[in-house]
Amino acid sequence: MSSKIIIFKNDRIGDLIPSVSAINLIIEKNKDKEVIIYLSEINHKMKFLFNEKNVKIITINYKLPFRNRIHILNFFIKTKISHVYILRPKNFFFLLPIFFYFKKIKFYGLCLDGKENYKRPIIFLRKFLTKFIVNDRATLKKRASREKLQLDLVKNQSDNDRFIKNYNFELSNILKKILPNNYSLIHYKKQIFEELGWGIDGLNKIIDELLRYHQNVVLINDIEPSNDNKIFKKKYNWYDFNKHESEKKDSKVLYLENLDGLDMFNAIKLSKKTIACHGTITLLGNLTKVPILDIFYCKIKNRNDYHRYKNSFHEHKPYDINYDFIIPSKNINKTIRKMKFSLKK
């Protein structure tokens, strides 16, 4: 019986995406073994990113309740395992090297250091890891991105500095039918647009600017109950992916309601440029290699805020030349002027 490779990554989508390159490198290097990836009920919709014959996906809870812990312990007892990659630094996972010390499994871990000497896991538990790398959120120095940290964790000296994979997935019949030509994609993040004082009026101004550079615009927003959805559907062409309903108007803007999973990935990939507030959408754009304009919103009131945002930027910054970013102003016209350097590319 061939030994198996285990990867723990049961977290949120925004946390999963920086791990994708490292996970796919593990899969590529172990074609002769079964690779079992533990995803959460939140991020399992992105399992298409690991669609290989030697991969099995197991869905567990994000908060890892007692029943999930018992399942993992039983699985480790009954299964021949050679390597375990802990890419979600949850304390329970770091106890496994002690529990199964007798099985001589090689454990690799992404560890976390924080302020006031906070460490996950504690130094003692790190001694049981074959190899670990630390995401040091307490440092004031420039940090490597989480993508690079995890690649450093899983690659050998002979491996390339960066594992590059082309993600080409077939379009659904729906996208083939409704996506316009030559479009930019914008993600409306309601909370940030309102904190900046832009609201939907600010969004409309940005869309008008985008239409100067592209024939069409695709608009998406967070999947949550909102009156904004009704406003968009009154003004723009729209398609609802849950109800499979649509309406066409005399508009160069297509609003995609309840867009998710593979359809969201492909809608981003086919855009000429994706514009979004820093987060899941900009990280997905990095995977698709589409040009990104990241609206990196910061609320800096003191020196600690400055260092926190600086660290967050370097931790999450996509590792790609197609990536641009701006720090937005509450003055929407000033922000649009900042955006032009990227939109002209």
Side-chain angles (χ1 to χ4, degrees):
M1 181 177 61
S2 175
S3 58
K4 302 182 188 299
I5 309 290
I6 308 298
I7 301 172
F8 290 115
K9 197 59 192 164
N10 61 313
D11 47 17
R12 302 185 187 279
I13 294 176
D15 294 311
L16 169 66
I17 297 167
S19 304
V20 169
S21 293
I23 293 173
N24 276 315
L25 179 57
I26 295 169
I27 295 168
E28 181 69 23
K29 292 167 64 175
N30 293 279
K31 291 289 190 180
D32 59 330
K33 297 179 181 178
E34 184 178 27
V35 178
I36 298 174
I37 307 173
Y38 282 89
L39 298 179
S40 72
E41 80 283 9
I42 300 171
N43 67 22
H44 80 281
K45 65 187 71 175
M46 308 303 292
K47 63 184 180 181
F48 62 85
L49 292 168
F50 316 112
N51 188 23
E52 300 290 345
K53 291 181 179 179
N54 64 321
V55 174
K56 179 180 178 181
I57 304 295
I58 296 178
T59 302
I60 55 176
N61 195 277
Y62 172 79
K63 294 184 178 181
L64 206 65
F66 181 74
R67 68 179 185 278
N68 287 161
R69 301 183 186 210
I70 292 299
H71 158 79
I72 291 169
L73 292 174
N74 284 335
F75 185 81
F76 269 66
I77 290 170
K78 298 175 181 178
T79 308
K80 184 178 180 182
I81 299 169
S82 62
H83 295 72
V84 175
Y85 294 89
I86 303 170
L87 301 184
R88 185 192 176 192
K90 188 171 182 64
N91 283 321
F92 171 78
F93 298 141
F94 291 109
L95 295 174
L96 297 176
I98 297 178
F99 294 158
F100 298 99
Y101 182 79
F102 66 95
K103 297 192 74 170
K104 301 187 182 302
I105 302 170
K106 292 184 178 181
F107 284 86
Y108 298 75
L110 173 66
C111 302
L112 178 66
D113 285 358
K115 292 182 179 180
E116 299 179 356
N117 204 33
Y118 174 82
K119 298 188 184 298
R120 191 195 319 156
I122 60 175
I123 296 296
F124 172 74
L125 292 178
R126 295 180 188 186
K127 295 178 180 179
F128 292 87
L129 298 172
T130 304
K131 180 181 177 182
F132 68 87
I133 199 158
V134 178
N135 182 10
D136 187 358
R137 289 179 173 171
T139 184
L140 299 182
K141 298 178 181 179
K142 182 178 177 179
R143 291 156 50 200
S145 69
R146 276 197 292 172
E147 180 185 11
K148 185 177 186 305
L149 283 174
Q150 291 173 84
L151 280 169
D152 288 344
L153 176 67
V154 307
K155 68 185 182 69
N156 299 322
Q157 290 183 348
S158 59
D159 294 325
N160 294 328
D161 286 341
R162 190 179 184 203
F163 177 70
I164 298 174
K165 179 172 180 175
N166 293 319
Y167 299 94
N168 295 309
F169 303 104
E170 185 176 355
L171 289 183
S172 66
N173 290 331
I174 293 172
L175 285 187
K176 288 178 182 178
K177 183 178 179 180
I178 67 175
L179 279 182
N181 296 319
N182 187 22
Y183 68 89
S184 55
L185 182 145
I186 183 165
H187 176 239
Y188 175 66
K189 186 74 173 176
K190 181 182 177 72
Q191 178 184 351
I192 292 180
F193 271 61
E194 290 187 345
E195 286 187 21
L196 284 164
W198 297 351
I200 291 182
D201 288 340
L203 172 67
N204 291 334
K205 288 184 177 182
I206 294 175
I207 288 176
D208 288 342
E209 185 67 24
L210 296 181
L211 287 171
R212 294 180 58 193
Y213 302 92
H214 301 102
Q215 292 177 347
N216 299 284
V217 170
V218 169
L219 169 65
I220 64 174
N221 63 339
D222 294 332
I223 299 178
E224 56 187 16
S226 171
N227 289 329
D228 299 330
N229 301 39
K230 297 178 182 178
I231 295 172
F232 298 150
K233 291 166 78 170
K234 283 183 179 179
K235 185 173 183 180
Y236 303 129
N237 303 328
W238 59 269
Y239 184 90
D240 184 337
F241 281 81
N242 281 353
K243 297 180 181 179
H244 300 291
E245 296 175 349
S246 65
E247 184 178 354
K248 280 192 173 183
K249 296 180 171 64
D250 183 20
S251 174
K252 294 182 178 180
V253 180
L254 171 63
Y255 169 52
L256 300 181
E257 187 174 19
N258 297 310
L259 183 69
D260 205 359
L262 181 55
D263 282 328
M264 180 170 68
F265 184 91
N266 278 330
I268 294 170
K269 182 177 177 62
L270 292 177
S271 70
K272 300 299 182 183
K273 186 179 287 286
T274 287
I275 300 94
C277 296
H278 186 75
T280 297
I281 304 301
T282 56
L283 292 170
L284 278 175
N286 181 47
L287 284 182
T288 67
K289 304 295 180 277
V290 70
I292 294 291
L293 177 54
D294 185 343
I295 301 173
F296 195 85
Y297 175 50
C298 308
K299 292 190 291 185
I300 299 176
K301 298 180 180 180
N302 52 51
R303 189 177 180 85
N304 287 336
D305 286 342
Y306 167 76
H307 287 300
R308 178 165 56 85
Y309 279 110
K310 180 183 176 183
N311 278 345
S312 176
F313 175 77
H314 289 299
E315 179 177 337
H316 300 284
K317 180 181 181 296
Y319 191 34
D320 196 277
I321 60 173
N322 288 324
Y323 172 83
D324 296 324
F325 79 97
I326 61 167
I327 305 296
S329 165
K330 290 191 174 183
N331 183 322
I332 185 63
N333 295 321
K334 185 176 180 180
T335 297
I336 290 173
R337 288 196 295 271
K338 287 183 178 183
M339 295 172 66
K340 288 184 178 181
F341 87 96
S342 180
L343 298 179
K344 291 177 180 178
K345 291 183 178 179

